[in-house]
Amino acid sequence: MKGTRRRQSTRRHRTTLVVAFALIAGLGATVPATADTPYPFRDPTLPVSTRVDDLLGRLTLDEKISLLHQYEPAIPRLGIQSFRTGTEALHGVAWLGEATVFPQAVGLASTWDPALMRQVGSAVGDEARGFQQQRPDGWGLNLWAPVVNLLRDPRWGRNEEGYSEDPELTGALSTAYGEGLTGGDPNHLKTAPTLKHYLGYNNEVDRATTSSDLRPRVEKEYDEAAFRPAIAADAATGVMTSYNLVNGRPSTVNPDLDDVVRKWTDQSLLNVTDAFAPGNLVTPQQYYPSVTEGDAAALKAGVDSFTDNSADPGPTTAAVDSALRQGLLKVSDVDKAASDILSVRVRLGEFDPGGGRYGSIDASAVNSPAHQQLARKAAAEGTVLLKNNGALPLRSSGKGVAVVGPLADTLYTDWYSGTLPYAVTPAQGIATKLGTGVTTSEGVDRIALRDTTTGKYVTAGTGDTGAPLQESTNTPTTAAQFDAFDWGSGIVTLRSAANGKYVGYNWSNFVNDQTQPNGWYVQQQFKLEQQDDGTYLLKYAGYETSESWWSNPLYLGPTDANGTLGLVSKEQAAHYAKDVVRSGVADAVAAVKGKGTAVVVIGSMPSINGREAHDRTDMSLAPSQEALVKAVRAANPQTAVVVENSYPTTLGALQKEVPALLWTSHAGQETGNALADVLYGDVNPSGRLTQTWYRSESDLPSILDYDIIKSDRTYQYFQGTPLYPFGYGLSYTTFRYGTLKPVAGGYDLPVTNTGTRSGDDVVQLYTHQRTSRDKEPLKQLKAFQRVSLKPGETKTVHLKVQRKDLAHWDVTRSKWTVENGTYDVLAGASSADIRARTTWRVHGETVPPRNLARTTRAENFDDYSGIHLVDESKASGTAVGAAADGAWLKFADTQWGTGARKFTARVASTGAGTVEVRLGSPTGRLVGTAHAGGTGSSYDYETVTADLAGASKGRTDVYLVLSDGLRMATFAVR
């Protein structure tokens, strides 16, 4: 709903409904004893807008303000119960107790299966509803999922949370997942999903202070394109703002929330901030001097609900109240946000008899047998076969199977995982499949650390809760032994052999009491730093050690007479001899020798190898894991390798050496069964990569470079040869493509299974614009379709693409345009494996030469150097800012008429500066120079002019060369 809501007359209804209204969905809300008739807002036969208006009109101003915080209090006088935004539901309901844990989001996306995504979303929505009778802490029906930030850079710590580097694929999958979560009817919501995180958020390093430069084409064609589909399809009920800045302005106050996002739908949207982001506007972003001014700006930009100060709404309500008193906000601003919130609550059935359409769903939905089977199917379908030299599928052998590697017999959860109700590890899944036991080995060194000064070994506690580490024995007993897991970048975790628990820091001691590395700071991380004398220093590497406030020392050593370990300076650190009690490689080699098959499961630890607040520094396997695979392969040629992680990996020479290679995400409770299904051929692998797998980090520019067009990022623009291309994935069968045939609404393509096994293919349709005024993608996904085929069977796949889908953003006129010309239409099994092609002659338009006589926004350049995009004002607009003298903007193909006499620009700067107007190149003919005297502020603009001389008539490229520190918003040549 948009525009002014008109209050409609209320209607009285049968008094028999009063009793029913007291039974709202098991939510515990009751009708006040004084009520003799139900309120119109409780009448499900009325339009949503009428019900919202009625309820809004009954609330006091203080009650309306109370709705603007994540924790909305109950309003007993109206029988309204408390409401909370923000139940995590990325790949299952999280943080509420045991619930079905589906594969990580990137694993779900690897299915390329919108129908399956819809099923998973529906299951997750059912389980969120399943908790509604108990309402555990953290529960609510506003779900914070899915994450649709594009996986532009595989080093992003939160890669596991997203779907794809491509907006078409991301939009299709997020829409499907959202439709499952909502139930498909925007007026009767099962749950209310929120898209995370708007906008341009793909780095964790300094995420609250770095600015993502999104030039108009990147913003429109790439970042916005991922968010729009689910909102436009009413498959999401709002967006969450991201932590970062976009073009110099914090996303928390991004005016796009109202000016762009709300225009994608006719439904009311409930937009929320990320946790603690409102406070970031004051510190560290220093964008507003007070929370009052920051919250007011966020509300006016389009934020409805503030996620700040945890469960304490006091600071937010006080800030909004203060903003009203100071005139920074109007009551109508509060009413608008409150209406958006209430619209979602009405549509969730909160005020309906029995809780509405979904009010009867109970705890039986949580981890139901059907959901367990769905989790298994999703995990299998998302598994990608990267290489197969005939080794797969595996066959049962009288010689048995060995399943080895650090992830062979364990499952890890990630930050946004739910609690596993059970766990089927790869070894367990294979054993169940075969109906017999398998030999296992983690392939991890078991070590003992002996202080070379005292001769004593470091020991841990033997009980379930462990004990503080101390140097307490002269012999390497079991209590003195630790399994050292290598996760790369020098990071190891130490699992005590005494009780099977990981050692972690508790802000005082180091205790072996954790079932897996976990927590916000992941305090189970260490480094073993080898010294010149062969000894090792044990360094603590928990994430808090990288925080600016950390001032404690980092090394371990005895801190009391009992030898209890604590943090000491490097000079005081104990020097340890590392005794290898058991070689991990030798143990794994012994396990696989003589076996019919060796399966090696390697990969990442989700809390360590990149996670929220921490990007990856590299994408390679841990060195010891690579060494393990090579040793196992040498000991048993029948080796299949499973890489279980959440991001593209630079596998180096490893992928050349092994006969079979699979990739899976951390795939939830059914990981082991799903892997066994694929390895033994009960499921023919059909997963496809949703990102480019690069050969090296050197293929990538800075993680802070968001201009995919200029820096040739993602498969759309990357000109190198990837390790594995976007869309890649093998099968146990083969497929042949016929001829692309144009039909109404797209293209038909016959696909034949030419192998001996039934299987699914994922047919991908790409287009390429041969000629354009602008730099265009090498290819761009426009449609895809899964097809299931029996051996020898042929089916015709319909791939939908329309003329409007060929549009790109024309910066010369700030509009979508389809250019006249020839387009290649390419169908393939990946972005690099094109098997059918045709051409499409499109009658579009020819972009006319630029007319700089019209006022032109400086951000609408064609090329640039030394430029950053910045906020024109704190409220709205984007300007360009010069980062150094000689920074330039290119405005290509400009019609330069004989009447061009004067250059005029709006500029801001703290000091004096210049804008040079040059033709042909940044060092081309100088035809005028505008001088700025300096306004003293980045937000105060002055108009500068320059007389133009020596310019010839015709079409040319115009360059504006700026001096350091100058900002320019608009200009014109007249």
Side-chain angles (χ1 to χ4, degrees), residues 335-351:
D335 284 352
K336 173 182 174 294
S339 294
D340 292 332
I341 294 166
L342 292 175
S343 173
V344 168
R345 293 181 65 171
V346 166
R347 289 184 278 151
L348 282 167
E350 179 181 346
F351 310 123

Side-chain angles (χ1 to χ4, degrees), residues 272-389:
V272 306
T273 74
D274 209 334
F276 301 101
N280 288 347
L281 290 169
V282 181
T283 304
Q285 291 167 345
Q286 299 183 5
Y287 206 70
Y288 288 100
S290 70
V291 174
T292 294
E293 290 165 283
D295 282 8
L299 204 66
K300 292 180 77 67
V303 164
D304 302 305
S305 179
F306 292 83
T307 314
D308 209 5
N309 302 293
S310 299
D312 180 10
T316 295
T317 56
V320 174
D321 184 67
S322 176
L324 286 166
R325 285 187 280 104
Q326 295 180 42
L328 299 174
L329 289 174
K330 298 177 182 178
V331 172
S332 59
D333 296 319
V334 174
D335 284 352
K336 173 182 174 294
S339 294
D340 292 332
I341 294 166
L342 292 175
S343 173
V344 168
R345 293 181 65 171
V346 166
R347 289 184 278 151
L348 282 167
E350 179 181 346
F351 310 123
D352 292 0
R357 182 178 298 178
Y358 302 102
S360 63
I361 298 177
D362 60 22
S364 64
V366 180
N367 192 39
S368 67
H371 293 176
Q372 294 172 11
Q373 289 301 309
L374 184 61
R376 182 172 181 166
K377 178 181 180 182
E381 200 170 299
T383 300
V384 181
L385 180 60
L386 298 175
K387 180 182 179 182
N388 187 22
N389 286 348

Side-chain angles (χ1 to χ4, degrees), residues 399-423:
K399 295 182 178 180
V401 177
V403 186
V404 301
L407 283 85
D409 204 20
T410 190
L411 295 186
Y412 290 121
T413 55
D414 60 57
W415 180 250
Y416 287 105
S417 286
T419 303
L420 291 168
Y422 61 85

Side-chain angles (χ1 to χ4, degrees), residues 385 388 684-686 688 729-735 758-760:
L385 180 60
N388 187 22
N684 193 340
S686 60
R688 300 292 186 266
L730 302 177
S731 171
Y732 294 154
T733 190
T734 55
F735 301 97
S758 296
D760 286 9

Side-chain angles (χ1 to χ4, degrees), residues 859-883:
E859 65 179 309
N860 285 327
F861 49 74
D862 291 293
D863 199 3
Y864 63 98
S865 176
I867 291 293
H868 287 300
L869 292 168
V870 296
D871 49 339
E872 182 178 358
S873 73
K874 289 191 174 184
S876 63
T878 296
V880 298

Side-chain angles (χ1 to χ4, degrees), residues 64 369 382 549 674 880 941:
K64 295 173 188 176
W549 47 262
V880 298
Y941 286 81

Side-chain angles (χ1 to χ4, degrees), residues 403-410 440-444 485 588 599-602 625 628 632:
V403 186
V404 301
L407 283 85
D409 204 20
T410 190
T440 64
S441 168
E442 291 178 311
V444 172
F485 290 80
V599 177
V600 189
V601 190
I602 55 176
Q625 293 188 24
L628 173 68
V632 169

Side-chain angles (χ1 to χ4, degrees), residues 391-474:
L392 296 178
L394 300 177
R395 299 165 183 84
S396 297
S397 168
K399 295 182 178 180
V401 177
V403 186
V404 301
L407 283 85
D409 204 20
T410 190
L411 295 186
Y412 290 121
T413 55
D414 60 57
W415 180 250
Y416 287 105
S417 286
T419 303
L420 291 168
Y422 61 85
V424 182
T425 70
Q428 291 169 343
I430 291 173
T432 299
K433 176 72 65 178
L434 298 178
T436 185
V438 298
T439 303
T440 64
S441 168
E442 291 178 311
V444 172
D445 286 347
R446 178 164 288 186
I447 65 172
L449 298 173
R450 177 174 53 85
D451 190 324
T452 56
T453 300
T454 66
K456 292 186 175 182
Y457 285 90
V458 176
T459 60
T462 57
D464 189 60
T465 57
L469 299 190
Q470 60 181 162
E471 296 179 1
S472 64
T473 180
N474 291 314

